[in-house]
Amino acid sequence: MFRIGAHVSISGGVAKAVDREREVGGNCGQIFVGSPRGWAVSEVDEDDADAFVEAAGAQDVGPWIVHGTYLVNLATPKDDLAAKSLDTVQAELDAAAALDIPYYVFHPGAHTGAGEETGIQNVGERLSELDVPAGVTLLLENTAGKGTTVGTHFADLDQMVAVSAHDYDDLGVCLDTCHLYAAGYDFTTEAGMAEMIEDLDATIGVENVHYLHLNDSKHPLGSEKDEHEHLGEGEIGEEGFRRFINHAALREKPMVLETPEDEKGYAWNVEKARELRDEE
C-alpha cells in the first residue's frame, strides 16, 4: 500500500492528529510534540496517548513520525547549546515512545564556523549520549547545505552513524526531496536517479532509509536553499516526483508532505502524489 500523508497539528490533543490526517487523505503522518521553534516538549498524557494509538490503529493511519524542534543543533561547538539540544532530543524520543510512534527525525545542525569535519564528529559523539528507546528509530535528515549546516551528503550522514556508539539498529535516515535537489542530487533524470541510488546504497544503505519527506523546491538544482513548493510546481516538477516515488528502492517507504499550507493545502498535494504513483 502507498503510504502517503502530511505533517499535522496536535492542537487539542495528539489523538486529534489522526482525524486531521484522514481529512487531508493521508494514511501515515508526522507531528511535533512541542513548539517547532521552542525547547519545551509537551508532556504526553497517558489517556491521550491511548486514544491516539487506538484511533491510528482503527483508521489504519501509520507509521507515524515525530519531527524534532528546529532549534536542535548537535553539530554546534557550543557545549551549552549541545546540552540543551540533547535534553530536547531525548524528551522528544521519549514522547515518541510514549505514543508508540516508531520514528523520530531531526536536523543534525550547523558547525557555525568550527568546520564541517568537526560538526560531523560532534553530531556522532553526541548521538552516543542519547538513550534511544526500544521500538523507536532515530532518523537523521539530510540538509540542503545552506550556511554551515552539516549532513548535506549521504557520506556525511553515514559518518555521523559511524562515529556514534549507536549503529543502524537504533539510527537511520529520512530523505527530504527538496533538500536532496538543493544539495545537488538530480534525481529528475533516469541517469541521475540511478547515480543517486547507487551513492545511497554505497554509503547509508537503502535499507537504512526509513522515511521520506516529499517537497518540491522553489529554487534550482544545487542552490542550497531550503524552500518548499507544492508537488510538481517547483524545480523538481511532476516527472521528477513520478520518478522518485515510483523507484523500486523507495516506493515502499512511507512518505509525508511538508508543502506550503496555503489555498492548495495538504489535501491537494496528497492527491497529486497519488496521481503520480504507478499502480502496483
Side-chain angles (χ1 to χ4, degrees):
M1 179 185 290
F2 183 26
R3 289 290 171 177
I4 176 71
H7 186 108
V8 293
S9 170
I10 63 167
S11 177
V14 68
K16 293 186 177 182
V18 180
D19 286 339
R20 292 186 177 118
E21 196 62 62
R22 276 304 190 189
E23 286 171 6
V24 300
N27 58 9
C28 65
Q30 179 173 275
I31 59 172
F32 291 121
V33 288
S35 169
R37 303 191 185 280
W39 292 105
V41 178
S42 302
E43 186 172 344
V44 177
D45 178 83
E46 188 174 341
D47 291 339
D48 195 22
D50 289 344
F52 169 77
V53 172
E54 183 178 353
Q59 298 189 55
D60 190 26
V61 180
W64 288 82
I65 183 169
V66 170
H67 197 299
T69 175
Y70 298 135
L71 298 183
V72 164
N73 186 356
L74 295 193
T76 180
K78 299 179 179 179
D79 290 340
D80 56 344
L81 177 54
K84 187 177 286 189
S85 296
L86 282 169
D87 286 345
T88 297
V89 170
Q90 187 64 62
E92 290 173 329
L93 281 168
D94 292 342
L99 293 166
D100 201 23
I101 291 178
Y103 299 111
Y104 167 78
V105 63
F106 76 107
H107 302 165
H111 64 73
T112 63
E116 186 174 29
E117 187 175 333
T118 298
I120 291 170
Q121 184 75 18
N122 283 346
V123 174
E125 290 178 356
R126 287 160 181 160
L127 285 172
S128 303
E129 299 181 42
L130 294 167
D131 178 14
V132 182
V136 178
T137 303
L138 185 156
L139 306 182
L140 299 163
E141 182 171 346
N142 64 303
T143 58
K146 184 177 181 180
T148 64
T149 55
V150 297
T152 305
H153 302 106
F154 299 150
D156 301 338
L157 298 170
D158 189 50
Q159 180 62 21
M160 293 171 192
V161 177
V163 169
S164 172
H166 296 289
D167 56 26
Y168 280 117
D169 288 336
D170 293 324
L171 308 179
V173 168
C174 172
L175 293 181
D176 183 299
T177 52
C178 175
H179 300 176
L180 286 170
Y181 195 74
Y185 289 100
D186 187 4
F187 52 86
T188 64
T189 68
E190 185 174 353
M193 186 76 192
E195 183 178 350
M196 185 184 78
I197 295 297
E198 183 178 357
D199 184 11
L200 179 64
D201 211 28
T203 50
I204 296 163
V206 171
E207 70 279 7
N208 294 315
V209 175
H210 295 275
Y211 229 103
L212 305 171
H213 284 165
L214 293 187
N215 302 298
D216 210 327
S217 174
K218 287 184 181 292
H219 301 283
L221 178 71
S223 67
E224 297 187 346
K225 294 181 179 179
D226 178 12
E227 194 172 0
H228 300 177
E229 182 56 281
H230 297 293
L231 297 193
E233 300 205 342
E235 295 290 326
I236 296 171
E238 286 193 5
E239 289 309 306
F241 277 100
R242 190 188 304 277
R243 191 180 304 281
F244 188 90
I245 66 178
N246 288 300
H247 193 280
L250 304 174
R251 62 180 285 121
E252 299 306 318
K253 301 182 188 297
M255 309 178 192
V256 292
L257 301 151
E258 300 169 322
T259 45
E261 294 186 73
D262 53 25
E263 66 279 357
K264 279 192 169 69
Y266 285 138
W268 185 93
N269 284 277
V270 168
E271 181 59 30
K272 174 62 70 174
R274 293 192 189 282
E275 289 174 8
L276 297 172
R277 175 77 166 194
D278 294 339
E279 293 185 7
E280 299 290 345

